[in-house]
Amino acid sequence: MSLILVGTDIRMTEMYKKVAVIGGGVIGGGWVARFLLSGRDVSVFDPHPQAEEIIGTIVERAANAYSKLFASPLLPKGRLHFAASLEEAVKDSDYIQESIPEQLGLKRNLYADIEKAARPDAIIGSSTSGFRPSELCQGMQHPERFFVAHPFNPVYLVPLVEVVPAAACKSITLDAVLAFLTLTGMKPLHVRKEVDAHIADRLLEAVWREALWLIKDGVATTAEIDDAIRYGFGLRWAQMGLFETYRIAGGQQGMRHFLKQFGPALQWPWSKLTDVPDLTEELIDQIADQSDKQSGRYTIRELEDIRDDNLVSILKALKQRNWGAGRIVASVDEKLGQSCAKPLTLSDIDLSAPLMLHSADIREEWADYNGHMTEHRYLQIFGDATDAFLAYIGMDQDYLAHGFSVFTVETHVRHLDEVKVGALVDIKTQLLGCDEKRLRLVHEMINRENETVVATSEHMLLHVNTKLSSACPFGEPLKDRLSNLSLGQATLSIPSFAGASIRPVSRAN
């Protein structure tokens, strides 16, 4: 390991390239995955007969998660070695992470064995969720290199790691540990004062104890308690935590007003956890001052906007997975779509005119570095317009449930004019033709403000039996509605751009 110290800044030329993990269970295996995927070589010791299989599965799952999480290419994965003994695992390691069961005597004995086999400059971290480092390092020859690094499952995805140095731990060691864990993609939280269960688990323990009482007293079931968290305050905690959330609840006057207004409720017998500190003026000042330092650079209105944008992003992600609160959003979205989709009959639409089925507001997050709508959002809007067309001709959830759908087999998009954030666009849709298995659509994207055509797209779609993964004829009601629409729109002229490809460009000499 080589460190260059520049004031308080640590720049790593090579930071803990060889890592040892002792214990390969859920936590240890998660550490292995995180270290490997950050490019570190990892040596593992775990005498469990299925350790290699268990860890291999975790690493594979982590690699799959990273491929979905990160847009940039991943670092080359480190080399994984399963050591036959503790001594073999730690002898050449820079960084050693212990993740064995929570038994104080067992851990202390392990540290003694590690110190006998490890290099004198190797540092040792414990994954303990409850023990204080001063308890763990008793009997160690070199406690100055010992610390707690408590992660959260799954270790390879959840970034928080609580770092609690032993009293003898050198500041340069602590700084290096914090820097190294940051390099692995984690958010190291330096716990400045030793306390049983550190910070996060003490908070979790309070919620856990109250949940057990709610079940015991017949107030709620496990499912109801989980729903209270994941459909409610859990969403807020995920993006703002506790104090910033309550700062907003205090309105324009912020945290101080919140404490004054709701502080007395702590004395009410709502909870089984009734041993609460008195909200003295000194404590109120301390909390309010810390809240100002944490969030004071934003107004309450700005925090509300940030909160709402974050919640939208979280809910959209959950919606994609049809999970938790995302199910509610998906259900509402489906109902909205059904309310917009009208049956196509000769009596309710002019079949000889293009269809106007979809509009879109150009959102701020859709802009690229030029301040214009980014390229893939055009295709998204055109895709939404195609979905609206399909819903209009009767391809609803019942139709899909019977194993029929359409696949897009060809697309051509033209970008004609810039579209800026805040613009409202309408999509004009024309059916160019169809046969028993195919349909051909063109869309025109029109800026409503000046009625300019800013983009066009052309799509060929193939009707398929999804159970057989093969093309098949349209079923009812799509077949009849497409036939009526095709006859009606046959009088429309075909746009000049339809069927065109990119013009050849001369090669530079």
Side-chain angles (χ1 to χ4, degrees):
M1 179 189 71
S2 175
L3 293 180
I4 302 173
L5 299 183
V6 182
T8 58
D9 179 41
I10 296 183
R11 299 176 183 173
M12 287 66 62
T13 56
E14 188 175 355
M15 172 65 78
Y16 305 135
K17 295 296 292 182
K18 294 182 178 180
V19 177
V21 174
I22 312 304
V26 172
I27 297 299
W31 274 120
V32 171
R34 184 173 280 278
F35 291 142
L36 284 175
L37 294 172
S38 67
R40 270 66 194 174
D41 293 337
V42 182
S43 183
V44 183
F45 175 66
D46 188 326
H48 192 286
Q50 294 180 304
E52 293 192 28
E53 179 182 351
I54 293 170
I55 292 173
T57 299
I58 294 174
V59 171
E60 182 180 355
R61 184 179 297 115
N64 181 55
Y66 278 30
S67 69
K68 299 174 183 176
L69 182 61
F70 300 110
S72 300
L74 300 179
L75 292 171
K77 188 166 64 175
R79 293 171 296 180
L80 176 60
H81 171 68
F82 289 93
S85 66
L86 174 69
E87 294 75 16
E88 181 185 346
V90 304
K91 65 180 182 179
D92 295 322
S93 297
D94 306 311
Y95 180 106
I96 302 165
Q97 184 72 35
E98 167 267 309
S99 301
I100 68 173
E102 292 284 85
Q103 299 177 30
L104 185 58
L106 187 65
K107 287 179 181 287
R108 285 175 175 171
N109 291 336
L110 176 68
Y111 304 146
D113 292 337
I114 289 175
E115 285 198 303
K116 293 176 183 177
R119 297 198 325 254
D121 62 338
I123 62 174
I124 305 168
S126 172
S127 298
T128 182
S129 60
F131 291 124
R132 288 174 280 119
S134 60
E135 293 179 301
L136 292 169
C137 70
Q138 289 181 20
M140 288 186 66
Q141 297 297 312
H142 298 284
E144 67 274 8
R145 59 174 169 169
F146 181 78
F147 56 92
V148 165
H150 171 231
F152 295 82
N153 188 43
V155 181
Y156 52 83
L157 278 181
V158 178
L160 181 66
V161 53
E162 296 176 311
V163 179
V164 195
C169 185
K170 295 180 179 180
S171 60
I172 188 173
T173 299
L174 174 63
D175 290 343
V177 168
L178 297 175
F180 167 64
L181 292 173
T182 300
L183 283 177
T184 68
M186 304 193 85
K187 168 63 178 175
L189 177 62
H190 176 200
V191 181
R192 294 174 291 102
K193 186 174 181 179
E194 288 192 49
V195 61
D196 293 332
H198 322 313
I199 296 174
D201 275 359
R202 292 177 75 89
L203 297 172
L204 289 172
E205 184 73 7
V207 176
W208 175 242
R209 288 174 187 267
E210 189 63 30
L212 295 178
W213 277 113
L214 289 170
I215 293 172
K216 184 179 185 300
D217 292 344
V219 176
T221 65
T222 59
E224 290 164 348
I225 290 170
D226 281 351
D227 283 349
I229 296 171
R230 63 181 180 156
Y231 288 94
F233 61 84
L235 291 169
R236 299 186 308 189
W237 283 8
Q239 49 86 44
M240 274 194 172
L242 181 64
F243 283 95
E244 202 159 63
T245 295
Y246 282 164
R247 181 181 181 89
I248 293 176
Q252 296 303 314
Q253 299 176 60
M255 179 61 76
R256 191 177 303 276
H257 177 68
F258 173 82
L259 292 170
K260 293 283 189 181
Q261 184 174 3
F262 297 103
L266 290 172
Q267 303 298 331
W268 300 349
W270 284 356
S271 167
K272 297 288 186 178
L273 308 174
T274 56
D275 185 13
V276 297
D278 292 330
L279 275 178
T280 62
E281 288 297 325
E282 290 77 14
L283 182 55
I284 289 175
D285 287 342
Q286 182 181 3
I287 295 173
D289 290 344
Q290 290 180 2
S291 178
D292 288 343
K293 184 177 180 181
Q294 175 188 359
S295 310
R297 64 187 181 279
Y298 301 109
T299 66
I300 297 299
R301 291 288 175 84
E302 287 172 334
L303 285 174
E304 289 173 334
D305 289 341
I306 292 168
R307 175 202 61 197
D308 291 356
D309 288 344
N310 289 341
L311 285 173
V312 167
S313 296
I314 292 170
L315 288 168
K316 285 173 68 176
L318 291 171
K319 175 191 170 188
Q320 279 191 314
R321 305 299 303 167
N322 196 32
W323 192 264
R327 288 179 177 172
I328 303 296
V329 179
S331 176
V332 172
D333 206 5
E334 182 179 345
K335 290 175 183 176
L336 289 172
Q338 290 172 350
S339 69
C340 293
K342 302 175 184 178
L344 181 61
T345 65
L346 291 172
S347 61
D348 65 7
I349 190 171
D350 180 2
L351 298 181
S352 64
L355 304 174
M356 303 293 286
L357 300 175
H358 184 65
S359 300
D361 292 297
I362 308 307
R363 308 171 187 176
E364 185 175 357
E365 64 267 27
W366 290 6
D368 61 14
Y369 44 82
N370 293 314
H372 309 148
M373 184 165 67
T374 194
E375 185 176 87
H376 73 276
R377 296 296 185 180
Y378 287 85
L379 187 57
Q380 176 184 324
I381 294 175
F382 285 133
D384 290 341
T386 298
D387 287 342
F389 173 85
L390 294 172
Y392 206 86
I393 63 173
M395 199 181 80
D396 54 17
Q397 291 299 318
D398 183 62
Y399 193 86
L400 295 170
H402 281 81
F404 299 104
S405 185
V406 295
F407 290 173
T408 303
V409 293
E410 189 171 347
T411 294
H412 180 211
V413 178
R414 297 189 310 152
H415 305 275
L416 305 177
D417 199 357
E418 63 186 38
V419 183
K420 296 182 178 180
V421 172
L424 180 62
V425 296
D426 298 311
I427 308 301
K428 183 168 68 175
T429 301
Q430 181 179 343
L431 177 66
L432 292 187
C434 63
D435 58 23
E436 64 173 7
K437 298 180 182 180
R438 299 176 300 171
L439 64 89
R440 182 182 169 205
L441 292 177
V442 290
H443 299 302
E444 290 183 289
M445 183 182 297
I446 303 169
N447 188 326
R448 186 179 295 182
E449 181 180 6
N450 54 24
E451 298 185 353
T452 301
V453 177
V454 294
T456 68
S457 70
E458 183 176 1
H459 311 268
M460 181 70 76
L461 296 98
L462 182 67
H463 189 262
V464 296
N465 183 321
T466 56
K467 296 178 181 178
L468 300 177
S469 295
S470 62
C472 67
F474 288 102
E476 297 296 349
L478 273 67
K479 180 179 179 181
D480 181 56
R481 293 175 180 174
L482 279 171
S483 178
N484 289 333
L485 184 59
S486 182
L487 289 173
Q489 296 205 341
T491 60
L492 296 175
S493 60
I494 296 177
S496 60
F497 61 84
S501 60
I502 296 176
R503 295 189 182 95
V505 178
S506 299
R507 294 183 178 180
N509 293 327

